[in-house]
Amino acid sequence: VFGIYDGGTYGAIERVTDHLPEPPPFQPRQRYWQIIAKRAVLASGAVERPLVFGGNDRPGVMLAGAVRSYVNRFGVLPGRRCVVVTTGDDGWRTVDDLVAAGAGVAAVIDARGDVRAKLREKSDKAGINVILGAHVTTTRGRNAVRGIDVTHSDGKTESIACDLVAMSNGWNPAIHLTTYLGGKPVWDRARAAFLPSSECRQDFPSQAQRAVNLDLPRRLPVAASWPAGCSQISSKALARW
């Protein structure tokens, strides 16, 4: 679903042959659907946040979730000597998947000063260098990443050779569709993310029970359930990603 329109109308794109390695002849790539519903459940997921440091756009620097997709979905190791940089628990999922896939993990850098022992089980067994309370300042390399510079909590710096940097900085709920309903995003300090507001649901509280139960960055949101006909939808709110 890419948009919500007046009268409970939803625009959606179906992939017919776009995802097939060898599409059959005389078939469309995509199919457009107009869906009219009295009630809808928004389960749009979340978008992983990058980390900001020098050279974070260098080839070989990837989001940790993308690294997991390469490993688990496509069976491909995007690097041989990996460094995982994280600010929360979610990055350790990537560490576990890389270890299980047989990749070499040079280091795990967690910005927090303390990490639960359960998260470190596989990395400790594999003898991976775990650096806490530190952050990446820059990457090195020309056409691809060849290493990173790390600053420790005491100000000391360290260089680590690698050909893959997997960065994890939590998740932002995808609340685009709720904004089309007139709901202004609300900052949640505890979750460090913008969440859907109750503005587009206040006219029908009995049906529009809030279903958000985020544990960012470990859980994805199921944002809301509401009936069609929200009074705050306007014809100007044509939705596009």
Side-chain angles (χ1 to χ4, degrees), residues 101-157:
V105 180
V108 181
I109 302 167
D110 197 314
R112 300 171 296 179
D114 185 38
V115 175
R116 290 183 293 117
K118 187 173 180 60
L119 291 175
R120 299 183 51 167
E121 284 181 358
K122 292 185 179 180
S123 58
D124 288 345
K125 289 181 180 179
I128 297 173
N129 180 25
V130 176
I131 305 172
L132 302 180
H135 63 275
V136 176
T137 54
T138 189
T139 63
R140 292 180 283 103
R142 186 175 180 183
N143 296 325
V145 64
R146 291 290 179 260
I148 60 172
D149 292 338
V150 181
T151 299
H152 294 259
S153 56
D154 58 3
K156 295 181 180 179
T157 60

Side-chain angles (χ1 to χ4, degrees), residues 93-114:
R93 296 172 55 199
T94 302
V95 177
D96 293 347
D97 288 351
L98 286 171
V99 171
V105 180
V108 181
I109 302 167
D110 197 314
R112 300 171 296 179
D114 185 38

Side-chain angles (χ1 to χ4, degrees), residues 23 28 42-43 49 58 60 67 76 81 83 121 160 181 205 208 210 220 226 237:
L42 177 62
R49 295 188 293 245
R58 198 183 303 275
V67 172
V76 175
R81 183 174 173 83
V83 171
E121 284 181 358
I160 301 175
L181 295 173
R210 191 168 180 182
L220 301 184
W226 57 74

